[in-house]
Amino acid sequence: MNRLLACASAALLLGACASTEKELTDKGMQPVAAAKAQTLLSGNTTTGTTASGSGFMVYNAPDGTMRGKSGNSSDTGTWEVIADGQHCNQWKTWRGGARQCARLYEVDGEIRYFEDGNYRGRYKIEQGNPYKL
């Protein structure tokens, strides 16, 4: 019985973390606007966790380049915020080098990001490049 309760509790916690984009919009939340996303990201570092549980940190340089680290792996690439506010990036090797775009939502003091409506992770924004990425 205790094991069942532990599993149920874990499932509830994971479910609370992995909100769908529809759940957020149903609550009246709007994606971060393009100008705000640009200001939040440019020259700053994001530290967070992907939907699969991998930790990461990424420095988004003002010139549109980025440098990231996840575990023992690192990569470089480019980033931009497009007119509808989506944050797009393309790594040299991570994610197969494919360009990805995500809608950003501010939730409980962090950013949650969604690609094609699917939850992909969350991060906090730290000023500057404190990890020297």
Side-chain angles (χ1 to χ4, degrees):
M1 182 66 146
N2 286 338
R3 187 172 179 187
L4 179 61
L5 287 174
C7 288
S9 296
L12 285 173
L13 285 173
L14 288 172
C17 292
S19 298
T20 66
E21 186 172 14
K22 184 176 181 330
E23 287 173 331
L24 295 179
T25 58
D26 285 351
K27 291 178 182 176
M29 298 188 80
Q30 297 293 316
V32 174
K36 184 170 184 177
Q38 183 72 31
T39 299
L40 287 172
L41 295 168
S42 185
N44 293 318
T45 300
T46 58
T47 57
T49 307
T50 65
S52 64
S54 298
F56 65 87
M57 56 181 70
V58 175
Y59 174 64
N60 299 284
D63 68 359
T65 61
M66 62 183 179
R67 297 182 297 281
K69 187 169 187 141
S70 179
N72 293 326
S73 177
S74 62
D75 202 358
T76 60
T78 58
W79 73 277
E80 69 176 320
V81 174
I82 59 177
D84 70 358
Q86 289 189 75
H87 171 222
C88 300
N89 61 35
Q90 185 170 11
W91 295 101
K92 285 188 179 179
T93 58
W94 288 350
R95 302 187 82 184
R99 178 179 162 87
Q100 305 285 330
C101 294
R103 265 186 234 303
L104 310 179
Y105 289 82
E106 287 185 282
V107 180
D108 300 327
E110 65 186 12
I111 301 293
R112 292 189 190 171
Y113 60 99
F114 298 82
E115 294 171 0
D116 298 321
N118 299 309
Y119 174 76
R120 293 297 184 215
R122 57 180 46 203
Y123 57 79
K124 292 191 181 257
I125 297 173
E126 298 188 41
Q127 296 298 304
N129 187 6
Y131 305 103
K132 309 285 186 237
L133 296 172

